[in-house]
Amino acid sequence: MSASSRASAPPRVLTVAGSDSGGGAGIQADLKTMLALGVHGMSVLTAVTAQNSLGVQGAWELPVEAVRAQYRSVVDDIGVDAVKTGMLSSAELVETVAELIGGTAVPSVVDPVGVSKHGDSLLAASALDSVRTKLLPVATVATPNLDEVAQLTGVEVESEDGMRRAAAAVLAYGPTWVLIKGGHLSGDAVDFLTDGSEEHWLRAPRFDNRHTHGTGCTLASAIASVLAKGQSVPEAVTAAKEYVTGAIAAGFALGGGIGPVDHGWRFGTGGA
């Protein structure tokens, strides 16, 4: 590739996550989000799931050496401007990915995926400590939902008032920023972003739409995509929140259960 063509390439974002065969979450959601936001998406597959609108019927983790080889193959040749992590089901996998990210000097967005939208566990209990002590310390932004906050810290959040306490508990493990996602609370969809001193409350209307599969993956990938363009964490989170709010509003029925958000809502695709 010539220097001129290399200069014209879009920002590069790498997702390290599991596959969702139904296309609504995981690697598939990540790559759709990256395309929609104008960056070049690349992937390191950590697990294969048999998954549809009704739930996860099976999951098969890839060997650590396969994950490491994919990561090195992409980063050492193509390079990367931001990394996003999703489903990392075992302690060994969490520790390997944390080591890889720690050695890559770009922003990282850690979505500490614990449970699927359908309530299926996607993280072994034995891996929780590795997430706390290895993965969160290398995160530029951690994006736990309230269930994941409780899983990681024991802090139960039942109202907006508890979100600061939740953020402090997650920040204690070492990420630079934490975005506490309050989507499980009633009222407006409120998220809380902080680095321990600076605070941002992000609010959006709550839509009467149950087709929200892939929301967390989509938000984290959107944040990574905007960070890859060189914007600040608050700017990236604000832009990502706007994108995912539109995707939720346009979410559509697919199969017999919970349908996906519409990653192409800005282009009039999907079910809109």
Side-chain angles (χ1 to χ4, degrees):
M1 185 183 289
S2 70
S4 60
S5 61
R6 191 179 291 275
S8 64
R12 303 149 298 174
V13 183
L14 178 63
T15 169
V16 184
S19 166
D20 171 6
S21 53
I27 289 277
Q28 288 81 354
D30 297 341
L31 293 175
K32 291 174 189 178
T33 298
M34 292 168 189
L35 180 64
L37 292 177
V39 300
H40 176 67
M42 307 171 290
S43 61
V44 170
L45 207 61
T46 61
V48 175
T49 68
Q51 188 172 169
N52 55 26
S53 70
L54 300 174
V56 179
Q57 291 78 44
W60 297 267
E61 184 182 309
L62 265 70
V64 164
E65 56 268 29
V67 171
R68 185 185 296 276
Q70 290 175 82
Y71 191 98
R72 289 265 59 96
S73 177
V74 170
V75 172
D76 293 348
D77 171 50
I78 300 171
V80 66
D81 297 301
V83 179
K84 175 260 177 185
T85 71
M87 178 183 176
L88 304 172
S89 49
S90 70
E92 189 181 16
L93 208 47
V94 169
E95 291 172 14
T96 297
V97 171
E99 175 197 333
L100 290 166
I101 291 175
T104 308
V106 298
S108 59
V109 180
V110 169
D111 185 16
V113 177
V115 179
S116 78
K117 187 70 69 181
H118 304 87
D120 301 293
S121 178
L122 300 174
L123 180 71
S126 58
L128 277 172
D129 196 52
S130 297
V131 172
R132 296 182 191 107
T133 62
K134 304 291 186 183
L135 190 58
L136 288 177
V138 299
T140 305
V141 191
T143 64
N145 62 31
L146 299 184
D147 289 341
E148 290 155 356
V149 167
Q151 203 177 25
L152 289 165
T153 70
V155 174
E156 302 276 354
V157 178
E158 296 176 356
S159 68
E160 283 186 32
D161 294 340
M163 293 177 79
R164 273 198 184 91
R165 190 162 54 93
V170 177
L171 283 173
Y173 290 117
T176 307
W177 291 83
V178 61
L179 178 67
I180 303 294
K181 299 181 295 191
H184 294 181
L185 298 176
S186 58
D188 285 350
V190 179
D191 300 328
F192 177 57
L193 174 70
T194 183
D195 63 353
S197 55
E198 194 176 322
E199 293 184 350
H200 302 268
W201 291 91
L202 298 98
R203 298 179 184 276
R206 186 178 298 278
F207 299 104
D208 183 18
N209 182 1
R210 75 190 192 99
H211 302 301
T212 56
H213 183 52
T215 308
C217 306
T218 300
L219 180 64
S221 293
I223 295 169
S225 296
V226 183
L227 288 175
K229 296 177 178 180
Q231 296 193 37
S232 69
V233 170
E235 289 169 336
V237 172
T238 300
K241 172 85 168 177
E242 180 187 353
Y243 170 73
V244 82
T245 298
I248 291 169
F252 52 91
L254 205 64
I258 300 172
V261 301
D262 181 2
H263 297 95
W265 67 273
R266 285 176 170 163
F267 314 114
T269 62

